[in-house]
Amino acid sequence: MDYKALLDRIAQEVAPLVGSGTPAEYIPALATVDPGRFGMAVADVDGNVYGSGDWERPFSTQSVTKVFALALALSLGGDDLWERVGREPSGNPFNSLVQLEYENGIPRNPFINAGALVVTDRLQTLTGDASSEVLGFLRQESGNQELAFAQEVAASESEHGDRNAALAHFMASYGNIVNPVPVLLDHYFWQCSIEMSCADLALAARFLARHGLRADGTRLLTRSEAKQMNAVMMTCGTYDAAGEFAYRVGLPGKSGVGGGIIAVVPGRCTVCVWSPALDEQGNSVAGVAALDRFTTLTGLSVF
Ligand code: GLN
């Protein structure tokens, strides 16, 4: 497949949509990003990477990192995690508090904020330094040792972090957060602040297309765990738009409010797209459209 020509065609087709929607404003450091950016990259299972537009330009990964934290927590700590977080779509916004009380402090899934806080808490217990573990993992899998936390973004999110603090304290009241909440929040905000390009993210996510094998050929997850992670991405990776994403794109995917989305074609490749303007659910408008075109033009969906 000529991925480069394909990505150039998609970039051209979705150009009219680039800038529709609004960049995340609730984290002030993200509100100033140029909404006119668009990049897209594909990494095949052998590590070849192809791209179009701003595919080598770093952006704020935000919730896309929830995938990598979950993979590490499962790989180091196993299935115990699933006693503390579910695997059902929430049907609610990613930062919603509303289900948590009805469901006794157990978040619906690991890809909404409450669930990701539980995952980070688990990773913190397992490693003593959750955010550095995630950063080190991303550096290794992408091959880019320059990846770093964006201090300004982490600080901005911390300053405006009342909602995440509320989620964490509320879960702590049910005993579902065990580390001190301020420590947990710091690690969570650091993790969300990591900046990567589409090329970096597509390369880093390849273990999901390689049935659990890392870039160096060692095993991170069993084949079954990789299948399970892809399934949770498919059903929960784009919050209360996961049904629509499955309908349009038909791939496991995970979005972030920085405008990035990763998608996985198991056994074949990973795709990362970035464009900062978001729809009401917090997913990149041009990004979802580009992935829709990708699977429509190639037939590379899981369906
Ligand atoms: N850091 C963001 C938050 O916690 C991540 C949300 C997202 O990307 N959906 O609100």
Side-chain angles (χ1 to χ4, degrees):
M1 171 122 29
D2 186 349
Y3 284 121
K4 170 76 182 128
L6 173 71
L7 296 178
D8 286 341
R9 172 175 173 185
I10 293 171
Q12 218 173 12
E13 285 188 17
V14 303
L17 284 174
V18 172
S20 332
T22 347
E25 277 162 353
Y26 74 103
I27 305 172
L30 295 183
T32 52
V33 177
D34 174 4
R37 299 272 171 203
F38 176 88
M40 190 169 187
V42 169
D44 67 20
V45 285
D46 300 319
N48 303 302
V49 59
Y50 311 85
S52 187
D54 297 311
W55 66 295
E56 291 170 303
R57 191 181 181 93
F59 61 88
S60 190
T61 54
Q62 294 297 318
S63 283
V64 179
T65 56
K66 292 178 165 95
V67 170
F68 300 92
L70 175 63
L72 281 178
L74 288 173
S75 127
L76 297 169
D79 273 359
D80 292 359
L81 179 70
W82 297 121
E83 285 162 25
R84 297 174 53 189
V85 60
R87 300 188 289 260
E88 291 295 342
S90 67
N92 278 305
F94 63 82
N95 57 2
S96 171
L97 275 151
V98 77
Q99 271 165 343
L100 273 180
E101 184 166 20
Y102 294 120
E103 299 182 0
N104 302 313
I106 308 285
R108 274 288 172 106
N109 69 67
F111 294 144
I112 51 174
N113 286 10
L117 287 162
V118 169
V119 172
T120 300
D121 186 58
R122 176 88 178 119
L123 198 55
Q124 181 64 13
T125 302
L126 289 164
T127 67
D129 191 351
S131 53
S132 300
E133 284 294 321
V134 173
L135 179 62
F137 177 50
L138 289 167
R139 282 180 177 163
Q140 266 184 304
E141 297 308 295
S142 66
N144 184 354
Q145 296 303 319
E146 312 282 295
L147 299 183
F149 303 120
Q151 304 197 10
E152 190 204 333
V153 175
S156 176
E157 192 162 1
S158 178
E159 254 168 65
H160 298 84
D162 292 328
R163 176 67 69 119
N164 284 316
L167 289 166
H169 281 293
F170 194 63
M171 291 188 291
S173 77
Y174 287 92
N176 199 18
I177 293 294
V178 299
N179 290 281
V181 167
V183 173
L184 167 66
L185 289 173
D186 278 348
H187 281 279
Y188 174 79
F189 295 141
W190 285 115
Q191 170 192 310
C192 289
S193 83
I194 296 171
E195 298 197 335
M196 297 172 74
S197 67
C198 291
D200 294 327
L201 267 173
L203 284 168
R206 273 184 314 139
F207 67 93
L208 291 164
R210 285 158 53 87
H211 305 297
L213 287 187
R214 295 183 68 151
D216 66 3
T218 60
R219 189 161 280 290
L220 176 74
L221 301 173
T222 65
R223 199 178 171 100
S224 167
E225 285 169 333
K227 175 198 73 178
Q228 291 162 349
M229 274 206 56
N230 278 310
V232 180
M233 287 170 71
M234 172 72 93
T235 53
C236 310
T238 43
Y239 325 112
D240 44 341
E244 182 70 8
F245 187 83
Y247 175 85
R248 290 182 64 188
V249 178
L251 290 175
K254 181 75 203 84
S255 60
V257 292
I261 309 175
I262 57 170
V264 183
V265 186
R268 186 127 184 185
C269 63
T270 47
V271 189
C272 180
V273 62
W274 169 57
S275 195
L278 310 176
D279 61 21
E280 283 181 2
Q281 283 79 33
N283 300 311
S284 167
V285 173
V288 175
L291 290 168
D292 179 343
R293 292 306 294 149
F294 179 85
T295 52
T296 303
L297 289 169
T298 61
L300 289 178
S301 107
V302 299
F303 300 111

